[in-house]
């Protein structure tokens, strides 16, 4: 059975085992597609974050910094910063930033950030980024959870087929048992082959998300500290 190659092996399986393998193959393709997509997304997020952090540390002008955040589309920190800016400042259509007396800025002679409002805003913005980072991960979680049971279903059906052959032939010889047992082993192996990478990368991406969220939160602490100073410098004479 195994000497005939992959196609010969698949061709020798029963109809139910072929359906089980097809389901596992589809699940494997979906999970690997998600793995590759999220891998590229996290690499792009790390790269864009570093570029935006560099711009944030060097650029003092809020207008230019806001434009840089618009360009860093793949940076979660830049999206959070842009959301903060949109709620603290008024941005005109041509990208010019001016002080705003919205709910995030007190109506005093010098603009002062309402930290209670902004803390809630930052928490909301960070949660939005977490939701974006977690997109498609349920596919990996579902694949890791259910594919071993799908493989187990093929295993059970293969064992049932072996007992049926034993009953039909009236003997427990290797010739009667081997086909059903081989189908069971193939289904088990296919289920594990599909589930193991999904579980490994699901846990890996969760770790990457925790690190990214910590990076975003650390950045927002620094951003909120410096934004008050930059806001005052930018809005001098704008009352």
């Amino acid at each position: 059975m195994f000497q005939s190659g992959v196609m010969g092996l698949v061709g020798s399986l029963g109809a139910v085992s072929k359906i089980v393998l097809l389901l596992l193959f589809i699940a494997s393709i979906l999970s690997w597609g998600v793995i590759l997509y999220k891998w590229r997304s996290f690499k792009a997020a790390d790269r864009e974050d570093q570029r935006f952090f560099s711009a944030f540390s060097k650029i003092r002008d809020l207008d230019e910094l806001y434009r840089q955040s618009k360009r860093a589309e793949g940076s979660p920190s830049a999206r959070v910063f842009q959301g903060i800016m949109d709620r603290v400042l008024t941005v005109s259509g041509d990208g010019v930033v001016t002080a705003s007396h919205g709910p995030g800025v007190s109506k005093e002679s010098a603009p002062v950030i309402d930290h209670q409002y902004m803390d809630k805003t930052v928490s909301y913005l960070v949660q939005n980024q977490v939701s974006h980072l977690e997109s498609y991960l349920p596919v990996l979680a579902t694949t890791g959870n259910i594919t071993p049971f799908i493989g187990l279903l093929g295993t059970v059906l293969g064992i049932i087929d072996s007992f049926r052959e034993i009953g039909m032939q009236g003997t427990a010889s290797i010739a009667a048992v081997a086909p059903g047992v081989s189908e069971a082993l193939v289904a088990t192996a296919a289920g594990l082959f599909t589930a193991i990478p999904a579980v490994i990368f699901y846990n890996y991406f969760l770790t990457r998300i925790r690190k990214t969220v910590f990076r975003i939160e650390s950045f927002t602490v620094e951003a909120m500290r410096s934004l008050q100073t930059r806001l005052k410098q930018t809005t001098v004479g704008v009352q």
Side-chain angles (χ1 to χ4, degrees):
M1 184 176 183
F2 289 93
Q3 294 176 351
S4 59
V6 176
M7 297 306 298
L9 175 62
V10 174
S12 65
L13 298 177
V16 177
S17 296
K18 289 180 180 178
I19 294 174
V20 169
L21 288 182
L22 178 62
L23 292 176
L24 293 174
F25 178 75
I26 293 173
S28 180
I29 292 297
L30 289 175
S31 64
W32 277 105
V34 171
I35 289 169
L36 295 176
Y37 171 75
K38 297 301 292 184
W39 183 277
R40 294 181 59 184
S41 297
F42 279 108
K43 286 189 65 176
D46 292 345
R47 183 176 61 252
E48 292 293 325
D49 263 354
Q50 294 302 320
R51 189 175 72 174
F52 178 68
F53 292 159
S54 178
F56 184 83
S57 63
K58 295 177 181 178
I59 299 174
R60 310 305 301 175
D61 182 67
L62 283 176
D63 295 357
E64 179 60 26
L65 191 57
Y66 184 80
R67 285 191 289 268
Q68 288 293 330
S69 71
K70 298 280 284 186
R71 296 190 187 104
E73 296 180 356
S75 169
S77 299
R79 293 196 190 102
V80 172
F81 176 80
Q82 185 180 336
I84 294 173
M85 293 281 285
D86 288 339
R87 286 159 176 80
V88 174
L89 305 175
T90 299
V91 183
S92 62
D94 56 0
V96 177
V97 183
T98 57
S100 170
H101 287 300
V105 180
S106 65
K107 298 181 179 180
E108 300 176 2
S109 56
V112 178
I113 296 176
D114 182 350
H115 292 285
Q116 183 177 3
Y117 168 82
M118 289 310 301
D119 286 343
K120 295 180 180 179
T121 300
V122 168
S123 177
Y124 167 76
L125 294 171
V126 171
Q127 286 302 315
N128 273 349
Q129 293 308 308
V130 172
S131 297
H132 178 74
L133 293 170
E134 290 178 344
S135 61
Y136 300 110
L137 287 187
V139 174
L140 298 182
T142 302
T143 300
N145 286 330
I146 69 171
T147 51
F149 293 102
I150 295 177
L152 181 61
L153 173 62
T155 301
V156 173
L157 294 175
I159 298 300
I160 291 174
D161 186 62
S162 296
F163 280 108
R164 189 183 70 249
E165 288 297 324
I166 291 174
M168 292 177 60
Q169 298 184 19
T171 177
S173 64
I174 295 297
V177 176
V181 173
S182 63
E183 288 189 21
L185 295 176
V186 168
T188 301
L192 294 176
F193 180 79
T194 304
I196 290 174
V199 173
I200 290 174
F201 280 99
Y202 176 78
N203 292 325
Y204 171 75
F205 288 138
L206 286 183
T207 302
R208 292 289 297 270
I209 289 174
R210 285 194 292 268
K211 291 181 179 179
T212 303
V213 171
F214 177 77
R215 188 171 67 229
I216 295 172
E217 292 177 343
S218 299
F219 166 75
T220 55
V221 172
E222 174 64 21
M224 293 300 296
R225 183 188 66 80
S226 63
L227 185 59
Q228 177 72 76
T229 302
R230 298 187 188 194
L231 179 61
K232 291 179 180 179
Q233 294 173 350
T234 304
T235 57
V236 171
V238 181
Q239 301 295 338

